[in-house]
Amino acid sequence: VASRSGSSRHAARRGRMPGRVRVRPCYTVPSEEWPSLGHMVATASAAGAWVQLLPGHFERLDCLVLDHPFEIEGPPDQSATLVVDQGIICAHDGGGQTASAGFALRNLTLRFAVEGQDTDLI
């Protein structure tokens, strides 16, 4: 079952980003509604999203295009892995919003392909 939370109080209770108000919807990947990060990002609203990747999630993408504000967060043990063959493109202009309308990647193992072999991304 997908997890959604538009409530900043709920986000604050989870101990995430104290003092910040979360205005984007929250989704869990993988889930029945969102089987992959690629699918979730491709169909996200203009408001973007806060995405929680479950422990052990592995996903290989040709290219990850983030054209809306996204926070993509893996589990504390950093066991979620994204392998991106052609890179990550962040192409959101903020739409006149404040600095909070940006991107964040946390607690993830990121890898990119170099000549057919996966390499850790720092």
Side-chain angles (χ1 to χ4, degrees):
V1 176
S3 171
R4 291 182 181 214
S5 172
S7 166
S8 59
R9 290 187 314 262
H10 184 66
R13 280 197 307 267
R14 288 192 308 254
R16 304 213 188 271
M17 303 175 110
R20 286 196 63 193
V21 175
R22 217 179 269 293
V23 295
R24 293 187 277 277
C26 176
Y27 303 101
T28 299
V29 172
S31 64
E32 237 178 82
E33 185 178 5
W34 305 108
S36 70
L37 178 65
H39 181 256
M40 197 262 117
V41 167
T43 58
S45 74
W50 177 51
V51 182
Q52 288 183 297
L53 298 178
L54 293 179
H57 179 68
F58 177 90
E59 190 165 342
R60 182 175 209 118
L61 300 163
D62 182 48
C63 183
L64 179 60
V65 178
L66 302 174
D67 55 359
H68 301 301
F70 283 97
E71 294 177 66
I72 301 171
E73 186 166 359
D77 67 359
Q78 298 180 350
S79 64
T81 301
L82 296 178
V83 178
V84 185
D85 295 331
Q86 301 296 320
I88 299 172
I89 299 170
C90 299
H92 178 64
D93 66 4
Q97 297 177 11
T98 64
S100 65
F103 305 98
L105 301 172
R106 290 184 211 86
N107 294 333
L108 298 171
T109 299
L110 296 175
R111 297 176 184 262
F112 63 98
V114 176
E115 297 180 16
Q117 293 191 16
D118 295 347
T119 304
D120 286 341
L121 183 64
I122 298 175

